[in-house]
C-alpha cells in the first residue's frame, strides 16, 4: 500500500477548494477568457514577487524559453550553452528556434559548472542558459561575468526555482530573461500548463508581448509573425490565490528539507548549498550508489520516489544529431545513476517525513 | 506599450448591448461542468489526462476521422501539422491573404514561406488560381474555411493530388461545416481546429485540435506536442510543449454535446439576416452553396461606406466588427515577402468592405430586427 505518494495535488486542493471555486465562478461570469484583468493582476504580483520589473504570462515553461530566445533573435546557425541534466524542454526550446544546444558538465550540486563555459564558447555562441535545477540557483557571479566578457545573453531556466535567492537576489532577476513554469508539479502551480517570463528590459518586454500574441500591436495590425502562447486568464485567476500562499509554502518546504537533511546526512549524500544560498526547493535529491535498490526498497515500504532524470539529454535519441557520446559529461552521467528524488510538497505530514527518514535510515547500504 | 490591448476593448464591449461576446450566457450552467472538474482535480490529472482522451475520441467521431489530437491552440494545430509533414526551411505553403494572422504565423514559424493566392467573392481561396502558384518548392496548401464556409474542396483536392502536395485544412472557424458527405477537417491530410473562446466549440482559454486519418501523422503529433517523449524518460525527437489542458477538455466535451443546436441556431440566424438584408442594396450578404456548408462562426456582410456604418452601429449598441483589414499581404510583418497593394485585388476589395454582425446562438430575432432596422436607417437617413 502506498503511504507516501510522490505527488499529492489532491491534498493541496482540499485546502483552498472553496476559494478557488468562487474565483473561477466570478471569472466565468466576467466572460473574458483571453487576457484581461486577471492576467494583468497576476503578472504584476508575480513580477513583484520575483523582484523583476516585468512579468509576461505565456503558455508554458517551454514556451517561456523558446520565446525568450526568439526575442533575442536567436535561431538558425546560432549556439546556446546549457547543461545536459535538465528536463528535456531546455534543449527542446533551443532546438525549436533552429539553434544548436551545446552542453557543459555540472557541479556536485547539479548546477552548471562556470569553469567549463569558456571552453565551450565559439563565434556562433549567442546565449547561456543556466538551469537552476532543484531550486538551487547556479553560481551566477562568474556566469554573468563570462557572459559580459564574451557579449552573450543569459536566459535563466528558472522553471524549478521560483522564490529562490542567491546572494540576496531572486531567481529570474539575474539574466536578460528568467523563464518560469507554472506546471501543476511546480511550487507555484496552476490547473494545467502555464508559464511566465521575467525581465527588467522594457524593449525586450515589448517584444515578448508581440511574440506571444501573433505579432499584433492592436487588433488589426501585425508587425511581425509571432506565436500564440498565452497564459489562460482562468489559470491567472487561480494563480493569484496561490501566490499569496507562496511564502507559507516556502516555509513548510524549508522545514521538510531541514528534517530530511539532518535525518539523512549520515546515510546518503544530501543536497549541498553555500552560505549565500536561500533555496526554495522544488525537488529534494539524494545521492547513493545503491539508488536502484533503495528506490525498490522504499516502494516496498509504501514510499514513492522519482528520478530527475535517469537519462541525460545528450544521451537521448533526439540528441543523436548533436554527436555526443557516453563519457562526455562524467558528472552528469554519474549523477544519473545515483540520484533519487524524495517526496517534497507542503502537505507532506510530519509522520510521513519521519517514516521516510526512518525507512532510509534502516536500509542496508552495504 | 499596453501589456494586453484587449482589456480596453473589453471595457468598450461592456457598453454594447448586442455583443459578439456571449460567454456569460453560454457558461451559465457551469455547475454541471464543476461536477466533472472535481473528479479531474482530485486525481491531479491536469495535463494529458483522461478527459483529453475522451474529448479527442468524441471529437474524431463527429468529424469522421480516425484520430484527433488535442493541442495548445488553433495556431499550434497549424504549426504542428506542418512540422508533422516535415515542412520547414526552403519550402512553400499556399494559402489565402484574407484571414487571421496565425495561418501565416504558423507557416513562418515552421520556417517555410507563405505564398498567397487571391480569394473569391465567397471570401475563400480561389481554386482556379492555385495551380499558377505551385512551384517545385510547394509542399502544402492551407485552405482556410473562412467564417465557417467550406472551401471548394472538390476542386482543391484534385489539384493537390496531381501535384503531390498535402492539404492542411484551417478549419478553426468551421467545425461541423458539411458537404459531399464529409465534415470540415476530413478533406485533407490534416485538419486544424481552434477552441478559442469565441469559436463554434469553445473553452475557457486557449486550445486546439488536429484531426487525421493517418496513423503515422497521429503518432508523430503525439510526440511533437509533448517534448518528443515516448515515455517519461526517453526523448526520440526535439518536440514542443503544446497540450490541450485536461480542464479545458472537460469544458470542450461538455459543449460538444450541444454542437448540433449551436450550428443550427447560427445557420437559422444567418438565414434570417439574409432574408432581411436582401432588401438593402448597399449590403451584400455572405455566399453559401449548400444547406450545411457554412456554420457561421462569423456572419460577414459587405457594406458600402463600411467604416461609417460600423461607427453608426456601435453608437447604437451593436457590436459590429471587422474581420480583418488590412489583408495579410499588406501587414508590416509581410514586408519581407515582397507583395504590394494590388497583388490580390479581391482580398483587398473584400477587406475594405467587410463587416461582421453578431450571429451567435444567443441573439434574439428582436435583436436581429433591430440591427437590420439600424442598417436601413443608416443608408436611408
Amino acid at each position: 500500500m502506498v503511504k507516501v505518494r510522490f505527488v499529492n495535488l489532491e491534498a493541496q486542493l482540499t485546502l483552498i477548494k472553496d476559494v478557488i471555486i468562487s474565483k473561477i465562478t466570478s471569472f466565468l461570469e466576467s466572460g473574458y477568457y483571453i487576457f484581461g484583468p486577471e492576467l494583468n493582476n497576476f503578472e504584476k504580483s508575480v513580477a513583484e514577487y520575483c523582484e523583476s520589473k516585468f512579468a509576461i504570462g505565456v503558455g508554458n515553461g517551454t514556451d517561456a524559453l523558446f520565446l525568450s530566445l526568439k526575442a533575442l533573435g536567436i535561431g538558425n546557425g546560432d549556439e546556446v550553452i546549457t547543461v545536459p541534466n535538465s528536463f528535456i524542454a531546455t534543449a527542446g526550446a533551443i532546438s525549436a528556434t533552429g539553434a544548436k544546444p551545446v552542453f557543459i558538465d555540472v557541479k556536485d550540486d547539479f548546477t552548471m559548472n562556470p569553469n567549463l563555459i569558456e571552453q565551450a564558447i565559439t563565434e556562433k555562441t549567442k546565449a547561456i542558459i543556466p538551469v537552476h535545477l532543484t531550486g538551487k540557483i547556479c553560481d551566477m557571479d562568474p556566469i554573468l561575468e563570462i557572459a559580459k566578457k564574451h557579449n552573450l545573453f543569459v536566459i535563466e531556466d528558472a522553471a524549478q526555482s521560483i522564490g529562490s535567492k542567491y546572494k540576496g537576489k531572486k531567481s529570474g532577476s539575474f539574466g536578460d530573461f528568467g523563464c518560469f513554469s507554472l506546471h501543476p508539479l511546480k511550487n507555484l502551480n496552476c490547473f494545467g500548463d502555464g508559464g511566465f517570463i521575467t525581465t527588467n528590459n522594457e524593449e525586450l518586454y515589448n517584444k515578448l508581448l508581440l511574440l506571444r500574441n501573433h505579432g499584433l500591436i492592436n487588433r488589426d495590425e501585425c508587425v511581425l509573425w509571432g506565436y500564440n502562447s498565452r497564459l489562460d486568464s482562468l489559470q491567472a485567476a487561480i494563480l493569484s490565490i496561490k501566490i499569496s500562499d507562496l511564502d507559507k509554502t516556502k516555509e513548510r518546504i524549508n522545514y521538510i528539507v531541514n528534517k530530511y537533511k539532518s535525518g539523512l546526512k549520515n546515510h546518503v549524500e544530501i543536497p549541498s548549498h553555500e552560505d549565500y544560498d536561500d533555496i526554495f526547493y522544488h525537488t529534494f535529491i539524494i545521492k547513493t550508489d545503491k539508488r536502484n535498490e533503495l528506490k525498490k526498497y522504499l516502494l516496498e515500504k509504501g514510499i514513492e520516489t522519482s528520478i530527475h532524470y535517469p537519462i541525460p539529454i545528450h544521451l537521448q535519441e533526439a540528441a543523436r544529431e548533436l554527436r555526443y557520446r557516453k563519457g562526455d559529461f562524467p558528472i552528469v552521467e554519474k549523477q544519473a545513476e545515483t540520484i533519487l528524488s524524495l517526496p517534497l510538497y507542503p502537505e507532506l505530514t510530519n509522520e510521513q517525513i519521519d517514516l521516510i527518514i526512518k525507512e532510509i535510515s534502516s536500509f542496508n547500504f552495504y | 506599450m499596453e501589456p494586453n490591448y484587449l482589456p480596453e476593448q473589453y471595457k468598450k464591449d461592456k457598453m454594447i448591448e448586442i455583443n459578439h461576446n456571449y460567454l456569460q450566457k453560454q457558461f451559465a450552467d457551469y455547475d454541471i461542468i464543476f461536477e466533472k472538474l472535481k473528479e479531474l482535480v482530485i486525481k491531479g490529472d491536469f495535463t494529458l489526462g483522461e478527459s483529453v482522451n475522451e474529448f479527442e475520441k468524441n471529437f474524431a467521431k463527429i468529424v469522421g476521422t480516425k484520430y484527433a489530437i488535442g493541442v495548445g491552440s488553433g495556431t499550434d494545430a497549424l504549426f504542428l501539422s506542418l512540422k508533422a509533414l516535415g515542412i520547414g526551411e526552403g519550402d512553400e505553403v499556399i494559402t489565402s491573404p484574407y484571414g487571421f494572422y496565425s495561418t501565416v504565423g504558423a507557416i513562418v514559424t515552421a520556417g517555410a514561406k507563405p505564398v498567397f493566392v487571391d480569394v473569391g467573392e465567397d471570401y475563400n481561396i480561389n481554386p482556379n488560381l492555385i495551380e499558377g502558384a505551385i512551384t517545385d518548392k510547394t509542399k502544402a496548401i492551407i485552405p482556410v474555411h473562412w467564417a465557417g464556409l467550406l472551401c471548394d474542396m472538390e476542386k482543391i483536392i484534385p489539384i493537390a493530388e496531381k501535384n503531390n502536395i498535402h492539404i492542411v485544412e484551417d478549419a478553426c472557424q468551421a467545425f461541423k461545416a458539411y458537404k459531399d458527405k464529409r465534415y470540415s477537417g476530413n478533406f485533407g491530410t490534416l485538419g486544424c481546429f481552434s477552441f478559442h473562446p469565441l469559436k463554434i466549440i469553445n473553452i475557457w482559454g486557449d486550445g486546439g485540435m488536429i484531426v487525421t486519418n493517418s496513423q503515422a501523422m497521429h503518432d508523430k503529433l503525439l510526440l511533437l506536442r509533448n517534448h518528443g517523449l515516448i515515455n517519461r524518460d526517453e526523448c526520440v525527437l526535439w518536440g514542443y510543449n503544446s497540450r490541450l489542458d485536461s480542464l479545458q477538455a472537460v469544458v470542450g466535451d461538455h459543449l460538444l454535446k450541444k454542437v448540433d443546436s449551436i450550428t443550427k441556431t447560427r445557420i437559422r440566424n444567418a438565414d434570417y439576416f439574409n432574408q432581411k438584408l436582401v432588401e438593402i442594396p448597399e449590403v451584400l450578404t455572405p455566399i453559401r452553396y449548400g444547406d450545411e456548408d457554412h456554420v457561421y462562426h462569423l456572419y460577414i456582410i459587405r457594406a458600402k461606406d463600411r467604416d461609417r456604418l460600423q461607427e453608426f452601429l456601435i453608437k447604437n449598441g451593436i457590436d459590429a466588427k471587422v474581420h480583418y483589414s488590412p489583408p495579410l499581404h499588406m501587414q508590416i510583418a509581410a514586408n519581407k515577402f515582397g507583395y504590394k497593394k494590388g497583388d490580390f485585388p479581391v482580398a483587398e476589395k473584400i477587406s475594405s468592405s467587410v463587416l461582421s454582425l453578431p450571429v451567435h446562438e444567443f441573439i434574439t430575432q428582436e435583436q436581429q430586427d433591430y440591427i437590420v432596422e439600424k442598417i436601413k436607417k443608416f443608408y436611408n437617413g
Side-chain angles (χ1 to χ4, degrees), chain A residues 288-297 307 337 363:
Chain A
T288 164
D289 289 338
K290 296 256 176 184
R291 190 265 314 273
N292 292 342
E293 294 87 338
L294 178 62
K295 185 170 178 24
K296 193 168 159 248
Y297 172 84
I307 300 167
E337 288 166 7
F363 175 74

Side-chain angles (χ1 to χ4, degrees), chain A residues 66-67 210-216 222-229, chain B residues 75 101-102 104-106 108-109 333:
Chain A
F66 171 76
L67 295 171
L210 288 173
L211 287 176
R212 75 167 173 183
N213 190 34
H214 307 295
L216 291 169
C222 172
V223 295
L224 53 84
W225 302 113
Y227 314 93
N228 177 351
S229 181
Chain B
T75 310
Y101 318 96
S102 63
V104 180
V108 174
T109 308

Side-chain angles (χ1 to χ4, degrees), chain A residues 13 25 29 31 34 40 60 62 95 193 206 212 214 219-220 222 225 227 230 232 306-307 316 318 321, chain B residues 1 3-4 10 21 23-24 30 41 75 101 109 206 227 232-233 235 238 241 243 245 248 322 331 333:
Chain A
L13 195 84
T25 308
E29 283 164 0
I34 306 282
N40 287 345
N60 55 61
T62 311
S95 228
D193 276 313
N206 286 334
R212 75 167 173 183
H214 307 295
R219 185 177 169 281
D220 301 318
C222 172
W225 302 113
Y227 314 93
R230 306 179 283 222
D232 282 343
S306 186
I307 300 167
Q316 295 283 356
E321 61 189 28
Chain B
M1 193 164 147
N4 313 306
Y10 289 165
N21 189 334
L23 294 169
Q24 288 124 311
Y30 51 70
V41 165
T75 310
Y101 318 96
T109 308
D206 278 310
H227 307 293
R232 181 186 173 278
D233 301 321
C235 169
W238 301 117
N241 179 351
R243 306 178 284 223
D245 283 342
Q248 303 291 6
V322 175
Q331 296 285 346

